[in-house]
Amino acid sequence: MKKIFSTMKERWKAQMPIFFQWIMGIGTSVAAIALAIQMSLTSGGATIPEWWETIYPYLIGIGAGMTATAKFTQKH
């Protein structure tokens, strides 16, 4: 188990290939924009559409997953 965490730490700190830097940026942007929209709808007291309530968790989850996966890649 210690070796797994050591490998994860090493990969997290390693330099990423350019392609995965783009993936990380896109994933982070998708999640951040979805969060900003949700917060503005909630704070403004707007009626949140049903379609938005359905896709919002997926936008956050997919963006976070893309970012985490890209971060674990390393340049050789």
Side-chain angles (χ1 to χ4, degrees), residues 20-62:
F20 288 103
Q21 288 178 7
W22 277 93
I23 295 295
M24 186 174 164
I26 292 167
T28 303
S29 297
V30 167
I33 291 168
L35 181 61
I37 291 169
Q38 179 67 22
M39 289 176 61
S40 64
L41 288 172
T42 303
S43 66
T47 302
I48 299 173
E50 185 179 333
W51 65 268
W52 177 254
E53 286 182 353
T54 303
I55 68 166
Y56 165 70
Y58 294 106
L59 292 173
I60 298 292
I62 290 169

